[in-house]
Amino acid sequence: MKELLAGASNVGYPAGMEATTAVQACSPLAGRRERKKQRTREALVDSAFQLFAEKGFEATTVEEIADAVDVSSRTFFRYFASKEDVLRTFQDEQFGAVKAAFSARPSDEPVITAVHHAAVSMIRACEDGAFGFDPERFGCLRQLMESSPAVFGSSLEHGQKKHAEMTHIIAERMGVDPTTDLRPHVVASAINSVFHTAFELLSSGTVKVDRFSDVLSELFALLEDGINYPAAAAASPSSSG
Amino acid sequence: MKELLAGASNVGYPAGMEATTAVQACSPLAGRRERKKQRTREALVDSAFQLFAEKGFEATTVEEIADAVDVSSRTFFRYFASKEDVLRTFQDEQFGAVKAAFSARPSDEPVITAVHHAAVSMIRACEDGAFGFDPERFGCLRQLMESSPAVFGSSLEHGQKKHAEMTHIIAERMGVDPTTDLRPHVVASAINSVFHTAFELLSSGTVKVDRFSDVLSELFALLEDGINYPAAAAASPSSSG
DNA sequence: CACAAACTGTCATGCTGTGACAGTTGTCGT
DNA sequence: ACGACAACTGTCACAGCATGACAGTTTGTG
């Protein structure tokens, strides 16, 4: 009775429901119920993204999303805490990928440099459609953030929550204690801000570029070199990118 | 401490009535009606902050806030676009103060350093109760951000909106074109992130400090020196900080 | 005083998010 | 296979946020 998944694109995301940790539960022997839940969840995500792309975020109601999957709107809220939460699942996956790539970087790289390469390579792969990531959804999210303040704010909030995790990872790599050393915090925060800046630059059309990864890479490079630039009056007009 | 800014402050109007024309702010005799509006607005802010402090953000309804000032909840939304918007007015004032202090810094200071001093001196004054700022309200906002995700997200979103303005100011000081030079964007973004980090550190109790300004100053100092730290394996165990 | 404009209150409406309860379906033990 | 049990879902109901429309009141002006 529910052939709703027929039109779903092959985006097999293993995002756990309430899994705050990036547990990639493949759930091999989860049973039929678990499978059905997973399918319903993915169908909701798919339906949501599609409707958002068509009508925009605000104009799309939860009921419409649920109707498209043939479940009640009440059920929707059993899968997602809010309408924004649907979008966060995608960001979770991206963050997890960056995290993994970062851990794999050689330990002789400075922190920012390591994150730089990890992030850029991940995004590049994402742009090329590798890793099972959906470039279309990536673009959709960007467009939504641009148009809807609610999405934008939610994304920022979510990023800030990941910030704590990132701080811990960075502190570990630096071999310092994050409870006494403030440096990991600044680093994690700066990294987060670079991502948002790249997003913003692309959305606002301030810079003309083809790829998100290019902007991101450039921003990271600036951050690596230090950014306490002199004022115009005290500085010689050095060649600026 | 009701009329902490009775004279000149950019008030956040609901959608439609932009504060681009700051004419009325300069005219003290704008009529009885204008005065009454101003009083109602401040009363609403006051009432909101008090109730938020007592019952928390979520638990406080718009109706309660309005009732305390003896207006309808409908009227509340004629003054503020949302419940979060009430809190943003306070942040607006802070941002304006930092902006002004930044502009007054000597031009031989590098950008981060200038913002560093501007922000810290402003916050210090704020902590001491100068400038008509209400330290109590400052603490209340911090507490609210800690407890309510909605407030937190809203604050981030608002900060990001100011980000564009900050970028422009910094680009001006650097004497570069923000449409071709990415550096001002990184700087503005990093500054924004430093503020949030300081907030986070205080709220989470990660570091033990007496004053917000102390953490902020320390974070700024780190940012000034560059933050591309080596990994533990590649770094000599020199004194950190 | 009369008139226009602005401000406010009341009513009505739509959407979000949650709680409670009952019905259905999947899971497990026997 | 059958029944007990847990999990999932739908329906109903409700509180709160936010907005639109309309009418009544206050204020500023000629």
Side-chain angles (χ1 to χ4, degrees):
Chain A
M1 53 174 66
K2 292 179 183 175
E3 62 280 6
L4 41 114
L5 314 162
S9 21
N10 55 345
V11 278
Y13 295 132
M17 294 182 51
E18 52 276 316
T20 51
T21 60
V23 52
Q24 301 210 347
C26 299
S27 57
L29 50 101
R32 181 177 286 114
R33 181 181 292 164
E34 204 65 27
R35 289 198 158 279
K36 187 169 185 175
K37 250 176 64 176
Q38 208 55 251
R39 261 186 300 152
T40 302
R41 195 190 138 86
E42 282 179 27
L44 280 172
V45 173
D46 208 59
S47 158
F49 265 92
Q50 191 164 336
L51 285 169
F52 290 162
E54 286 175 13
K55 318 174 46 177
F57 182 78
E58 320 281 4
T60 303
T61 68
V62 172
E63 196 176 355
E64 287 172 324
I65 300 171
D67 278 351
V69 192
D70 203 27
V71 297
S72 71
S73 52
R74 184 70 188 86
T75 295
F76 173 90
F77 285 108
R78 290 196 178 95
Y79 282 88
F80 302 99
S82 66
K83 208 163 65 170
E84 290 88 351
D85 196 30
V86 181
L87 301 174
R88 284 201 285 259
T89 65
F90 187 64
Q91 295 181 270
D92 269 337
E93 296 156 21
Q94 290 192 298
F95 179 77
V98 171
K99 220 171 48 175
F102 174 69
S103 299
R105 297 300 303 178
S107 60
D108 62 336
E109 276 181 342
V111 278
I112 304 273
T113 307
V115 177
H116 176 169
H117 292 142
V120 169
S121 65
M122 196 284 285
I123 299 284
R124 286 252 159 85
C126 187
E127 286 168 343
D128 294 341
F131 288 127
F133 281 98
D134 192 343
E136 189 180 333
R137 199 166 284 187
F138 184 74
C140 175
L141 185 60
R142 201 174 67 208
Q143 186 180 348
L144 285 173
M145 283 183 67
E146 184 179 353
S147 59
S148 170
V151 177
F152 189 62
S154 174
S155 171
L156 287 173
E157 183 188 345
H158 189 245
Q160 204 70 11
K161 280 190 180 153
K162 294 295 179 188
H163 171 269
E165 199 176 337
M166 199 64 187
T167 301
H168 190 71
I169 295 173
I170 288 169
E172 218 166 71
R173 187 188 177 93
M174 288 176 65
V176 300
D177 182 8
T179 61
T180 59
D181 199 324
L182 296 184
R183 294 178 300 168
H185 296 90
V186 184
V187 172
S189 190
I191 288 166
N192 189 25
S193 74
V194 161
F195 273 96
H196 284 299
T197 302
F199 231 98
E200 182 99 346
L201 285 170
L202 242 69
S203 298
S204 64
T206 303
V207 293
K208 276 279 158 276
V209 281
D210 302 323
R211 304 171 116 214
F212 179 76
S213 56
D214 290 338
V215 188
L216 195 65
S217 183
E218 201 166 338
L219 292 176
F220 264 118
L222 291 174
L223 196 60
E224 287 177 62
D225 294 339
I227 57 177
N228 197 7
Y229 305 112
S236 60
S238 61
S239 63
S240 57
Chain B
M1 287 298 174
K2 259 66 176 182
E3 62 275 25
L4 49 149
L5 45 103
S9 71
N10 59 337
V11 288
Y13 294 100
M17 31 200 309
E18 292 297 335
T20 51
T21 58
V23 184
Q24 46 205 356
C26 300
S27 57
L29 49 100
R32 183 175 287 114
R33 182 182 291 163
E34 204 65 27
R35 290 201 153 276
K36 187 168 186 173
K37 248 177 65 175
Q38 205 55 252
R39 263 186 299 150
T40 301
R41 188 173 197 284
E42 284 178 24
L44 281 171
V45 173
D46 209 58
S47 159
F49 265 92
Q50 191 164 335
L51 286 169
F52 290 162
E54 288 174 12
K55 317 173 49 177
F57 182 79
E58 320 281 4
T60 303
T61 68
V62 172
E63 196 176 357
E64 286 173 324
I65 300 172
D67 278 351
V69 191
D70 205 26
V71 297
S72 72
S73 52
R74 185 67 186 86
T75 296
F76 173 90
F77 286 106
R78 289 198 179 93
Y79 283 88
F80 303 99
S82 67
K83 206 163 66 169
E84 289 88 350
D85 196 30
V86 181
L87 301 172
R88 284 202 282 259
T89 65
F90 188 63
Q91 296 180 270
D92 271 336
E93 297 157 20
Q94 290 191 297
F95 178 77
V98 171
K99 220 171 49 176
F102 174 70
S103 299
R105 296 300 305 177
S107 61
D108 61 336
E109 277 181 343
V111 277
I112 304 272
T113 307
V115 177
H116 176 170
H117 292 142
V120 168
S121 66
M122 196 285 286
I123 298 283
R124 286 253 159 85
C126 187
E127 286 167 342
D128 295 340
F131 287 127
F133 280 101
D134 193 343
E136 189 179 332
R137 199 166 284 187
F138 184 75
C140 175
L141 185 60
R142 202 174 64 207
Q143 188 180 348
L144 285 173
M145 282 183 66
E146 184 180 353
S147 59
S148 169
V151 176
F152 188 61
S154 173
S155 171
L156 287 173
E157 184 188 345
H158 188 246
Q160 204 70 11
K161 279 189 181 155
K162 295 296 180 188
H163 171 269
E165 199 175 339
M166 200 65 187
T167 301
H168 190 71
I169 296 173
I170 287 170
E172 217 164 71
R173 187 189 177 92
M174 288 177 63
V176 300
D177 182 7
T179 62
T180 59
D181 199 324
L182 297 184
R183 294 177 299 167
H185 295 90
V186 183
V187 172
S189 189
I191 288 166
N192 189 24
S193 74
V194 161
F195 273 97
H196 283 300
T197 302
F199 231 98
E200 182 99 347
L201 286 170
L202 243 69
S203 297
S204 64
T206 303
V207 293
K208 276 278 158 275
V209 280
D210 303 321
R211 305 169 115 214
F212 179 77
S213 55
D214 290 338
V215 188
L216 195 67
S217 183
E218 201 166 339
L219 293 176
F220 264 118
L222 292 174
L223 196 60
E224 288 177 61
D225 294 339
I227 57 177
N228 196 8
Y229 305 113
S236 60
S238 61
S239 62
S240 61

